[in-house]
Amino acid sequence: MNTPILYIKSGCPWCTEALSFFGANNIRHETREVRSNKVFMEQMVKLSGQSKTPTFVHGKFVVADFDIGEFKVALNQAPAIKAQLGL
């Protein structure tokens, strides 16, 4: 299974909330900061079609520009992904 990726921007309060949520729920992921890395920004835009964070990518499951409530709704609509993440 590929490691999920969380694209963030430093100083983004929604990104801080996402990181806290992922940590509290032991969701294994790779964090990629897009402000300081042009390649990560380009990857995120290519995968999600937008430039806002946080953006979560796990295979074909993409949740872009979300708060935790929106992330939970998206997960509930993708039970297989939810199970893979251990939630």
Side-chain angles (χ1 to χ4, degrees), residues 7-36:
Y7 292 95
I8 64 165
K9 292 178 183 170
S10 296
C12 163
W14 298 277
C15 297
T16 301
E17 180 185 38
L19 289 167
S20 293
F21 175 80
F22 281 37
N25 289 281
N26 297 314
I27 299 173
R28 185 179 60 90
H29 69 283
E30 177 182 338
T31 302
R32 295 185 179 176
E33 207 291 324
V34 300
R35 279 193 179 135
S36 62

Side-chain angles (χ1 to χ4, degrees), residues 5-8 12-15 17-19 21-22 50 52-57 62-72 74:
I5 300 169
L6 180 65
Y7 292 95
I8 64 165
C12 163
W14 298 277
C15 297
E17 180 185 38
L19 289 167
F21 175 80
F22 281 37
Q50 55 81 57
K52 296 182 179 177
T53 58
T55 293
F56 179 81
V57 177
V62 178
V63 185
D65 184 25
F66 65 88
D67 65 26
I68 293 306
E70 292 166 331
F71 185 72
K72 289 177 180 179

Side-chain angles (χ1 to χ4, degrees), residues 41-85:
M41 174 64 88
E42 290 171 353
Q43 288 172 353
M44 182 183 73
V45 170
K46 183 177 180 181
L47 291 166
S48 68
Q50 55 81 57
S51 62
K52 296 182 179 177
T53 58
T55 293
F56 179 81
V57 177
H58 184 46
K60 293 183 180 185
F61 180 74
V62 178
V63 185
D65 184 25
F66 65 88
D67 65 26
I68 293 306
E70 292 166 331
F71 185 72
K72 289 177 180 179
V73 168
L75 278 179
N76 287 335
Q77 295 172 354
I81 299 297
K82 188 174 182 178
Q84 287 175 13
L85 297 176

